[in-house]
Amino acid sequence: LGFIQKGKNINYYDDKELLAIAEPFIIEKMRQLLTFNVDRRYCYCMGGDKNFRFLSRLNEAENWFTEIIPLPHPRFIMQYKRKEKEKYMNDNINAFSISI
């Protein structure tokens, strides 16, 4: 999900009011998505900190996935770790290879 406030990106988990509105929507949409025939062993989460903790909390309550694997957000890599982007790309490829 992406949200804009006053012309800037805002994370749903950083604003309590937005989180209160977004969480039921996220749960509903995740339940709908999981009605499709998908492998629920692994979930890849973009964002290895707050987004990962939020999704992990929901997963504990809902039991959607066996394991959630956090991946650094591409914007974080390009903004703060650009010199190491090859390492991050290889790490992501390795993370995806466990589900094959």
Side-chain angles (χ1 to χ4, degrees):
L1 286 177
F3 298 96
I4 303 290
Q5 184 179 60
K6 298 178 184 174
K8 294 188 178 186
N9 178 53
I10 182 171
N11 297 314
Y12 64 91
Y13 45 76
D14 287 332
D15 182 290
K16 289 181 183 181
E17 290 180 41
L18 181 55
L19 179 59
I21 295 167
E23 186 169 332
F25 176 80
I26 292 168
I27 292 169
E28 175 189 347
K29 294 305 170 190
M30 185 66 80
R31 287 175 179 164
Q32 287 176 354
L33 287 169
L34 293 175
T35 64
F36 296 108
N37 185 23
V38 296
D39 185 341
R40 294 172 51 171
R41 289 177 294 166
Y42 305 105
C43 170
Y44 295 94
C45 176
M46 294 303 234
D49 188 28
K50 292 178 183 178
N51 197 40
F52 173 67
R53 287 195 313 260
F54 173 78
L55 184 57
S56 294
R57 179 178 60 78
L58 292 183
N59 190 55
E60 285 179 24
E62 299 285 333
N63 198 31
W64 291 323
F65 306 103
T66 303
E67 182 178 359
I68 299 176
I69 300 167
L71 300 172
H73 196 284
R75 184 198 52 78
F76 168 82
I77 296 168
M78 296 307 288
Q79 187 171 352
Y80 300 109
K81 302 289 185 178
R82 182 180 290 267
K83 291 179 183 177
E84 301 172 59
K85 69 181 178 182
E86 293 293 325
K87 174 201 172 300
Y88 283 98
M89 286 191 304
N90 289 329
D91 289 349
N92 286 355
I93 289 168
N94 289 335
F96 289 129
S97 70
I98 68 166
S99 62
I100 297 176

